[in-house]
Amino acid sequence: MTAGTAHFPAVLGGPSAFEPMDAAFDYLLRRGWRVLPLYVVAMAPFSAVMLLVIDSISSEHRSALPASCALLTAATLWRWAWLVAVQRRAQEDVRGEPPLPLRRRLLTILVVRLFSNSAMTWGGILLVPAFFGFFLGGMAAPMALEHDRRAWPLIRSTLGWIGAAAGRLGRVSLILGVLILLMTIGVAVLQALMVGTLLSSLLGLDVEDLKLTMGGSSWTLCVLYLLYLLYDLYWTVLSVMLYYDLQARRLGTDLRARIRALEQTDT
């Protein structure tokens, strides 16, 4: 581990909801190259299937939807498995040392994610199951790779930490929602300015065909999916930061990283 790695856990464990969010953003800026190739592998099949689904929806080709949904299920399992690898690499940087081996714990992580997504969808109308499922699904990998314990005690303790920090995590959810909304509005305004002002008024180009294309459902869904990719990468890393933020004082992750940074400096 290098001395710069200690920065990430060193900002965790404080009272502000912005601290883990800042740590995740800083991690992606400084060390995003470590997780980006794994994320591309995770999302490539999923993105290809999503394009098929978008095409089926926009062209109203309903007969293709069952096959597309079956492919989407397989691509989702592939995505979840590789997102575990993304989180494990970020977890290694936060801890300053490799976490537990992945192979024996992958099935447990996938089952927890499936359970969490069920809580988010079927329990979404009640809000509380969706809230716990949202954070438990994101923290499933760091939870299983940090502790060598049975699955149910780990899930129970993690749910307890989520409940104890519900106020902070609620603020994180609110901030994420506001950021997503601002990003969506910003892209829509930028698109309108580019077509209506830059291309037509300043460059004098005929943009009627472009307006028809950009006003269609297929284009809109593709743009929304691209925004989702940015959010998903950020949330994947943020989940690791949140997990260690919730138990920074219990695990002493920040202290271990600082001690290793001092050892590296001395040597």
Side-chain angles (χ1 to χ4, degrees), residues 90-219:
Q91 191 175 359
E92 180 179 348
D93 288 334
V94 172
R95 299 173 85 251
E97 60 185 5
L100 296 173
L102 173 59
R103 182 173 301 178
R104 292 192 298 109
R105 296 165 179 83
L106 180 58
L107 181 60
T108 299
I109 295 170
L110 294 180
V111 170
V112 172
R113 292 209 65 158
L114 180 62
F115 169 79
S116 301
N117 276 264
S118 299
M120 290 173 58
T121 52
W122 296 104
I125 192 171
L126 301 176
L127 295 181
V128 174
F131 177 83
F132 281 87
F134 177 68
F135 288 102
L136 179 63
M139 299 177 189
M143 173 191 71
L145 297 175
E146 179 67 38
H147 303 279
D148 193 9
R149 294 161 55 191
R150 298 181 64 181
W152 175 241
L154 279 177
I155 295 172
R156 188 168 52 190
S157 60
T158 303
L159 289 174
W161 294 331
I162 294 173
R168 289 192 65 202
L169 295 179
R171 291 193 294 272
V172 170
S173 302
L174 179 61
I175 295 168
L176 285 175
V178 171
L179 289 177
I180 293 171
L181 179 61
L182 291 178
M183 285 176 58
T184 305
I185 294 175
V187 169
V189 171
L190 180 63
Q191 180 177 285
L193 289 175
M194 183 181 69
V195 175
T197 303
L198 179 63
L199 296 181
S200 60
S201 300
L202 297 180
L203 300 180
L205 300 177
D206 185 7
V207 295
E208 293 304 318
D209 291 339
L210 183 60
K211 284 183 179 180
L212 290 175
T213 300
M214 299 178 75
S217 59
S218 180
W219 176 273

Side-chain angles (χ1 to χ4, degrees), residues 1-14 18-31 90-96 237 241 244-245 248 253-262 264-265:
M1 179 183 127
T2 61
T5 312
H7 169 78
F8 304 110
V11 301
L12 302 179
F18 285 102
E19 290 174 348
M21 301 183 74
D22 289 343
F25 184 73
D26 195 29
Y27 178 88
L28 287 173
L29 285 180
R30 297 172 56 192
R31 302 182 69 85
Q91 191 175 359
E92 180 179 348
D93 288 334
V94 172
R95 299 173 85 251
V237 175
M241 302 299 175
Y244 284 108
D245 179 73
T253 310
D254 53 343
L255 296 178
R256 295 204 309 263
R258 289 176 180 177
I259 291 172
R260 290 192 184 90
L262 291 174
Q264 290 288 336
T265 303

Side-chain angles (χ1 to χ4, degrees), residues 214-266:
M214 299 178 75
S217 59
S218 180
W219 176 273
T220 302
L221 291 173
C222 287
V223 171
L224 290 176
Y225 180 70
L226 289 176
L227 290 176
Y228 165 77
L229 290 178
L230 295 176
Y231 159 76
D232 184 59
L233 176 59
Y234 179 66
W235 170 245
T236 300
V237 175
L238 176 59
S239 299
V240 178
M241 302 299 175
L242 284 172
Y243 179 77
Y244 284 108
D245 179 73
L246 289 183
Q247 51 177 343
R249 296 180 181 88
R250 299 177 181 90
L251 292 180
T253 310
D254 53 343
L255 296 178
R256 295 204 309 263
R258 289 176 180 177
I259 291 172
R260 290 192 184 90
L262 291 174
E263 292 174 351
Q264 290 288 336
T265 303
D266 293 338

